[in-house]
């Protein structure tokens, strides 16, 4: 599998980051061009996005004839793109997205993209909290998980997805879209909501000393609250069932910690030590 | 105010970090010696702790005759130290602690330390999630807030606290202990519980793919869960009233986000954008 001419649809943080990383890919990846199309009609792509690509496409339809098409826009827009343009992607092309919710995307690919196109769901699990192309840091892709969620029995699509992932130095991980959504609801989507909730709690303290007391703990706990609100709202909504379940699980866990706190520091330390071990275990088995 | 001979009680992360920073203080701080005593009877202080100090003290009573005494042990142990040894600190000395809950400490200082000792509550808001002396990173103190919570009308104590803070390059912030506890419950203590709760939720996914999907978002959200469980349990318990209130506020905020999610992505994006602005505002006013 060679990637040939690649068109990236969407010049936000993810599209820009991928364009930068793909242009630095080794020759073995067989990339001959990286073109970008930006979703905002009438607005030129940002400077970092323009510099990231070999070429900027004028119309979204220009992307449909490329060897590889990477759709890097918010989840609802991905689904809309598949519905409106999925049938027009050229036969034999690789079609992959980067959305943070995969079941809705894979379903739309199965429905709107003909089997002659090698379609597969994709999700590079890396990024910064700085929205837009200025937040693009291609070095974060090195060693990061790149989830591939198959649409139909299509080995070429899987090979294409792996080729994209390997070209940017990420670690391809193949799995069912529903499993991706179940896990990501808890490892990523819930943390976005937690950061937003904590932001609200801290904003409501209303004491003039608050800003002076923000340390490194607060910093990392609210990091995700700076993400692009529209993008986050769209993947939370596209994964609403799992996200609502995850909120319930978090509330249970908080309730358990509250009980432990009421029982006294020995019991609380036990529960906290258990959480620490859980984190070390999952981290170590990566 | 000159600090003279300083004894640090406790060679964990905070005590070791302070010893390292104090030994690099400018000559104007007037520090002539930095000695460490470790809380574990019969156990030698760790290598980083030994290297951080000019001298290791054999008995805790050796610390009581120093010009400045810094108590850097978990909150309950600070209170016990004040009860058992507070009356024996030499007259005219500066006595300061580093605990993350201040009301219980200041009350114990008022009760057990004679007015001839310049006692003040202290809290350097900086540290890493790696427990123990190996987690000591003195560079984190530069520019960090160093809260000072007065015990009684004692300008010498405040000057002493400011001198310690300035010697290590931190930013002294004076306030009432109750206000400190109210703010820290939300900016630091609650985030510790959130990280622990998220660890539990992720541990219970129980899918073999989970460890492969942990990205930078998860990383920062669970960072605090790796902290020393006993230390965390003790400051949570010492600030239980405010922490329980903060948990309730977080639950309310999560409930609001759940409702917004059910209303649809436009409404959710609005709420998330509000949280983002709240975070940027509080960050900008530091």
């Amino acid at each position: 599998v060679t990637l040939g001419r690649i068109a990236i649809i969407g010049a936000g943080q993810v599209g820009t980051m991928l364009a930068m990383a793909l242009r630095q890919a080794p020759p073995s990846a067989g990339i001959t061009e990286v073109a970008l199309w930006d979703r905002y009609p009438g607005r030129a792509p940002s400077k970092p996005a323009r510099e990231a690509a070999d070429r900027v496409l004028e119309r979204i339809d220009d992307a449909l004839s490329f060897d590889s098409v990477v759709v890097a826009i918010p989840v609802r827009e991905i689904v809309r793109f598949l519905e409106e343009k999925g049938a027009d992607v050229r036969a034999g092309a690789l079609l992959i997205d980067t959305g943070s919710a995969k079941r809705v995307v894979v379903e739309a690919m199965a429905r709107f993209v003909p089997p002659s196109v090698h379609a597969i769901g994709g999700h590079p699990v890396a990024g910064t909290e700085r929205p837009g192309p200025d937040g693009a840091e291609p070095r974060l892709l090195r060693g990061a998980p790149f989830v591939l969620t198959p649409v139909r029995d299509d080995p070429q699509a899987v090979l294409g997805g792996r080729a994209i992932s390997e070209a940017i130095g990420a670690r391809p991980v193949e799995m069912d879209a529903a499993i991706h959504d179940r896990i990501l609801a808890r490892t990523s989507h819930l943390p976005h909501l937690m950061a937003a909730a904590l932001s609200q709690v801290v904003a409501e303290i209303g004491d003039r000393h608050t800003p002076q007391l923000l340390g490194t703990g607060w910093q990392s706990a609210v990091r995700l609250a700076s993400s692009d609100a529209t993008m986050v709202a769209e993947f939370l909504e596209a994964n609403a069932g799992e996200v609502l379940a995850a909120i319930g699980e978090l509330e249970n866990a908080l309730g358990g910690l509250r009980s432990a706190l009421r029982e006294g520091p020995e019991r609380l330390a036990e529960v906290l030590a258990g959480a620490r071990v859980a984190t070390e275990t999952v981290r170590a088995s990566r």
Side-chain angles (χ1 to χ4, degrees), chain A:
Chain A
V1 175
T2 54
L3 295 165
R5 296 167 62 228
I6 302 180
I8 297 172
I9 293 175
Q13 183 189 127
V14 178
T16 303
M17 171 174 72
L18 287 176
M20 290 167 158
L22 286 167
R23 284 191 68 201
Q24 292 164 17
S28 59
I31 298 170
T32 53
E33 183 181 18
V34 177
L36 257 183
W37 176 82
D38 195 66
R39 65 183 160 146
Y40 298 104
R43 205 186 83 176
S46 66
K47 188 155 168 282
R50 284 196 320 272
E51 288 174 355
D54 294 308
R55 182 153 69 102
V56 169
L57 302 177
E58 300 238 324
R59 302 171 320 130
I60 192 167
D61 286 358
D62 296 341
L64 304 176
S65 59
F66 276 64
D67 302 313
S68 305
V69 182
V70 180
V71 190
I73 49 186
V75 173
R76 278 203 301 181
E77 293 180 41
I78 296 174
V79 172
R80 201 177 308 132
F81 167 81
L82 293 169
E83 188 171 350
E84 293 173 3
K85 308 282 183 185
D88 302 328
V89 177
R90 92 160 169 66
L94 168 71
L95 174 65
I96 189 168
D97 78 304
T98 64
S100 186
K102 297 265 61 78
R103 215 163 42 80
V104 293
V105 170
V106 162
E107 281 169 11
M109 283 177 166
R111 189 160 164 208
F112 302 116
V113 181
S116 59
V117 173
H118 302 300
I120 189 163
H123 180 204
V125 187
T128 71
E129 72 282 14
R130 301 192 311 281
D134 291 323
E137 291 195 13
R139 65 175 176 83
L140 294 179
L141 290 165
R142 301 213 71 84
F146 196 123
V147 183
L148 300 170
T149 58
V151 176
R152 43 174 85 98
D153 184 18
D154 181 351
Q156 279 294 108
V158 174
L159 287 174
R162 299 188 87 90
I164 289 267
S165 171
E166 279 155 16
I168 60 180
R171 197 160 37 78
V173 191
E174 209 180 314
M175 73 185 66
D176 190 74
I179 293 177
H180 167 278
D181 286 4
R182 198 165 101 73
I183 298 173
L184 264 282
R186 289 151 182 91
T187 59
S188 163
H189 304 171
L190 181 61
H192 274 94
L193 287 173
M194 291 167 69
L198 181 64
S199 286
Q200 291 182 5
V201 170
V202 170
E204 280 158 23
I205 298 175
D207 189 285
R208 70 187 166 88
H209 294 99
T210 304
Q212 301 173 288
L213 295 197
L214 303 169
T216 47
W218 173 83
Q219 197 86 265
S220 51
V222 298
R223 190 174 77 81
L224 293 172
S226 302
S227 309
D228 182 89
T230 301
M231 182 195 71
V232 174
E234 294 206 3
F235 64 63
L236 289 169
E237 201 246 351
N239 196 19
E242 288 290 355
V243 171
L244 288 169
I247 295 175
E249 290 163 23
L250 181 75
E251 287 170 337
N252 285 342
L254 283 171
L257 287 161
R258 184 194 343 240
S259 302
L261 173 57
R262 285 187 171 137
E263 277 181 57
E266 283 77 13
R267 174 68 192 134
L268 183 58
E270 244 175 67
V271 178
L272 292 173
R276 180 175 154 194
V277 170
T279 295
E280 304 305 333
T281 306
V282 78
R283 200 194 305 268
S285 52
R286 274 198 286 185

